[in-house]
Structures are given as structure tokens and as C-alpha cells.
Amino acid sequence: MIQIENTFFELGRTCKRNCLIICDRGAMDASAFISKDKWEKIKRDNGWNDVELRDNRYNQIIHMVSAANGAEEFYTTEDHSCRSEGVELAKELDHNAATAWVGHPYYDVIDNSTDFEGKMRRMVGSVCQKMGLDTGDRLLKNSRKLKFLVNGPLPADEKFPRFQDFEVVHTYLQSNSPNQVRLRKRGQKGYFSYIHTMRRQRQAGGQVIEVKTQITHRDYINLLAQKDKSHLTIYKKRRCFLVNNQYFQLDIYEEPTHPRCKGLMLLETYSALDEVTLRKCLPGFLNIVKEVTGNSDFSMYNLSLREDWKTSKKYWRSDADQQQQQQQQQQQPEPRTNGLPNGLEVYKLLSENKPHINGSAGLLKC
């Protein structure tokens, strides 16, 4: 499998046209169908590690949930020469395959919450989104990134389903406002991947565009020289896991950090589910306080600022916060004193009764 992939990857690199390589199954899938001991032996014999096989080898992972899990009435072994397992075994194997990829930084799970055509649209839309292709509202109309505040203490490991923990380091680089540029170092057991992210704010149509580029360790070290000193480096433990066919990332902020980040835990997921259905899918073993999607106070850019937010000129407000602030200002009634009309009404009243008012003295008196 790896040799075949390498051949196509090399063909892609030498191709003069834009090229997308789709692998039906990937290297980690093998671990879902053999014992853990056999898988570890294969890795040792070949000098492999999970970060290289899972995170660095593929730009994106999409797990298409089996019809056996959520669309059982459409699951069949008829006319499938290579499919013999019943529904229950198919569910188990599907879960094992999905779990094998837990930990990949760009992992999308496409479930059976819509009809098959909708499932395909979500899959294609997910690929387009990661590639930065604008599809308008045709494919990802309901898909969104969600963030939740979690109260401690962190539950014991046995409370979680199978998970992967990663060391994550974020460093903001110098950039022209309102754009944001950051580096991410992410890995486990001494192996790391490196990502450069350019976040372009307030593009046409109110979009926020993120351009992510995988870089080498050498590039990472060189780019650290451009660190923005008005921001602290962010250190996290990132725990990735699957619950109810939803892929979650729990970010646990670690020292050294700004006092505002001490004990902070944020849960993130991507979902096209409605609010009621999603609530039922959230991890019940976590103490989720509230949703903070779009809340500027929980933006990593703001959390990393050295200065106090009240005095900082770099504090960034999300579009959602700005809209909410404008709505509150519009809805807030004008101040009234002792039941008298407010200032605008007084001016209008005086204007309409000019013959009875002695110049500006009347306005001053009111």
C-alpha cells in the first residue's frame, strides 16, 4: 500500500497541473484489522511511527461512516463479493477503522444523518473547504466549527473513549492587522508535524480564510525569528477522541501561560447537526459550561496577548461579537429623566412649538 501511494505521490509532485490524490484506505487502516502487538511489531520492523504514518503522510482524513451505523435499512451484503459481515460486525469494524485515525489534525467524520446525496455533498464540501476552494453555500451550508468551555477537573483517563494526546505549541508571528499568522508544532513521543497558518480576516462576503501549509522543522526554526513579542507562546495538551460519530478535540492549556489561561479547557468539533441533536452527542463525562463559538474572549489570538485586554490595542473582536454589540446598542433605549421625553423627542417637541419657545433658552431649560 505504501509503495503504491509513494508512486502516485511522486507522480503528483512532478505533475505540472494542480493535482489531488485520493487514497481509498490509508496506512493506519491496517491497524484496525490486526492485533495491537502485530501492528506495533510492523512499525518497529520498518522504523515507522504514528505521527509520520498518520499526521504527516496525508493532508486530510475523511471517514465515511458505514451504513451499518445509522442507516441500517440500506446496509446489505448482496451484490458485494468482498462484503460478508453482518450489521453488528460491520459496526464494530467501522468503529475500529474510525478510531485508527483519531489524532490526525484534519479529520472529518461524515455520518448518516442525511440522505446519501447529502452525505456525498458533505464529503465533497469537506475536501473543498480544506483545499480553500469556494463552493458558496451549495455544499457546506450547515457545517460549522463549534467551541465549548469545559470546567475542570479533567476526568480520569478511563472515563474517555480511546484517545490520542498531543503536545501542541502555538506561536504568533508578526503580521499586518487584521490578518493573523501563526506556527503550530504538534506531536507525540518525540515526533512532530509543523504547520504555518495565515488567517485572512473579513474577506469578501464576511468570510475568514485560513491558508494552512505544512512546513519542515528547519522552516519552523527559521520562522520563529519572526515571533510577535506582544503575544505569549501557547502550550496545550490536545486530546482527540470520537463520541457518537463526532470527532472532538479537547485543548487543555498548560504552563507557562498567562493567568487568564490557567485551568482553561476548550472543546472543539465540526458539525452540521442542529443544536438539539448536537447537544445529545456531546461527551456526557465532561462538565461543559456553555458554547463560546465566536466569543472573542476565547480566541487563541486574544488569550495569548501579553497586555491586559482593557488597555490593549491589539484585542481582536470577532464579527459575531461586533454584530451582537451593535444590536445591543440599537436596542438600548435612550435615557429618560423623571418620565420626561429623551433628548431627541425634546428637540422635536421644541421644533414643533417654536412660537411658544423663547429662542434657545427654552431648549436649555428643558
Side-chain angles (χ1 to χ4, degrees):
M1 178 189 287
I2 287 178
Q3 187 56 54
I4 292 172
E5 287 182 357
N6 287 344
T7 300
F8 279 90
F9 292 167
E10 189 58 35
L11 286 170
R13 277 189 285 269
T14 58
C15 183
K16 295 182 179 179
R17 300 172 60 186
N18 290 335
C19 185
L20 172 67
I21 299 171
I22 300 174
C23 303
D24 186 3
R25 294 292 189 184
M28 293 298 293
D29 281 305
S31 67
F33 301 94
I34 60 176
S35 68
K36 184 176 181 181
D37 289 342
K38 287 184 178 179
W39 177 245
E40 293 298 328
K41 184 178 186 304
I42 291 174
K43 289 196 296 181
R44 284 196 306 272
D45 291 348
N46 291 278
W48 297 336
N49 64 78
D50 287 347
V51 172
E52 288 299 324
L53 279 183
R54 180 192 57 217
D55 303 346
N56 291 340
R57 187 171 181 82
Y58 309 96
N59 298 116
Q60 181 185 14
I61 301 299
I62 296 180
H63 177 70
M64 306 291 287
V65 176
S66 168
N69 189 353
E72 291 83 354
E73 64 272 25
F74 297 103
Y75 181 81
T76 178
T77 57
E78 296 178 8
D79 301 323
H80 287 278
S81 59
C82 58
R83 179 188 292 175
S84 59
E85 59 270 13
V87 171
E88 292 306 316
L89 179 56
K91 283 184 179 180
E92 180 183 346
L93 294 176
D94 181 73
H95 174 75
N96 292 345
T99 303
W101 293 99
V102 167
H104 192 281
Y106 306 112
Y107 183 21
D108 293 280
V109 179
I110 311 295
D111 62 15
N112 296 301
S113 58
T114 62
D115 59 18
F116 189 73
E117 184 180 347
K119 187 177 183 180
M120 294 301 101
R121 282 203 305 270
R122 284 184 288 141
M123 182 271 292
V124 174
S126 180
V127 175
C128 291
Q129 184 185 46
K130 289 296 185 295
M131 294 180 66
L133 300 179
D134 183 14
T135 61
D137 61 356
R138 293 172 294 169
L139 300 173
L140 285 172
K141 189 172 183 179
N142 298 319
S143 182
R144 62 209 185 280
K145 181 180 180 181
L146 300 167
K147 185 185 294 186
F148 300 88
L149 177 65
V150 178
N151 262 359
L154 181 69
D157 289 354
E158 56 265 24
K159 297 289 186 181
F160 285 82
R162 183 178 170 184
F163 63 84
Q164 293 283 342
D165 280 349
F166 295 86
E167 302 172 43
V168 180
V169 181
H170 292 280
T171 306
Y172 279 91
L173 304 183
Q174 300 169 24
S175 60
N176 295 324
S177 180
N179 294 336
Q180 301 172 11
V181 181
R182 66 177 183 267
L183 298 176
R184 187 192 70 196
K185 174 184 176 182
R186 179 185 187 274
Q188 57 185 185
K189 300 178 182 178
Y191 298 97
F192 293 91
S193 60
Y194 305 91
I195 296 290
H196 175 279
T197 300
M198 165 74 79
R199 184 179 173 91
R200 296 171 180 166
Q201 309 284 3
R202 301 187 179 93
Q203 299 298 301
Q207 298 182 81
V208 175
I209 297 176
E210 284 195 347
V211 180
K212 297 177 183 287
T213 307
Q214 190 162 346
I215 58 176
T216 65
H217 175 255
R218 178 181 291 181
D219 291 335
Y220 175 78
I221 296 300
N222 290 336
L223 286 167
L224 283 176
Q226 301 176 24
K227 179 181 177 180
D228 187 340
K229 294 183 179 180
S230 65
H231 289 265
L232 294 167
T233 300
I234 292 286
Y235 298 91
K236 303 175 183 175
K237 177 168 74 175
R238 174 165 292 173
R239 177 162 293 185
C240 306
F241 54 92
L242 280 168
V243 173
N244 298 318
N245 289 325
Q246 282 290 132
Y247 186 56
F248 292 97
Q249 294 187 157
L250 179 64
D251 280 350
I252 305 156
Y253 283 70
E254 297 185 329
E255 301 282 358
T257 186
H258 194 283
R260 68 172 73 99
C261 298
K262 287 186 177 180
L264 180 64
M265 292 192 290
L266 296 172
L267 181 71
E268 293 187 359
T269 187
Y270 279 89
S271 180
L273 299 175
D274 61 80
E275 184 176 350
V276 175
T277 305
L278 179 62
R279 289 285 176 184
K280 296 177 182 178
C281 294
L282 293 176
F285 51 85
L286 292 177
N287 184 9
I288 298 175
V289 181
K290 61 179 179 178
E291 183 182 344
V292 293
T293 308
N295 187 327
S296 303
D297 288 351
F298 296 95
S299 156
M300 189 170 64
Y301 180 86
N302 290 335
L303 290 170
S304 66
L305 284 172
R306 290 180 181 273
E307 300 175 328
D308 186 280
W309 287 346
K310 294 179 181 179
T311 57
S312 176
K313 295 181 180 180
K314 299 195 71 172
Y315 182 86
W316 173 79
R317 291 195 179 277
S318 67
D319 289 340
D321 271 3
Q322 290 187 27
Q323 291 173 3
Q324 184 179 11
Q325 188 177 31
Q326 291 172 357
Q327 290 174 356
Q328 290 175 346
Q329 291 174 348
Q330 292 172 357
Q331 294 172 358
Q332 186 175 358
E334 293 289 338
R336 304 171 81 95
T337 306
N338 296 328
L340 292 174
N342 62 35
L344 290 175
E345 290 173 335
V346 168
Y347 182 80
K348 182 179 179 183
L349 175 64
L350 295 175
S351 300
E352 291 173 349
N353 294 277
K354 283 182 180 178
H356 305 287
I357 295 176
N358 184 15
S360 61
L363 178 60
L364 181 62
K365 182 178 179 180
C366 289

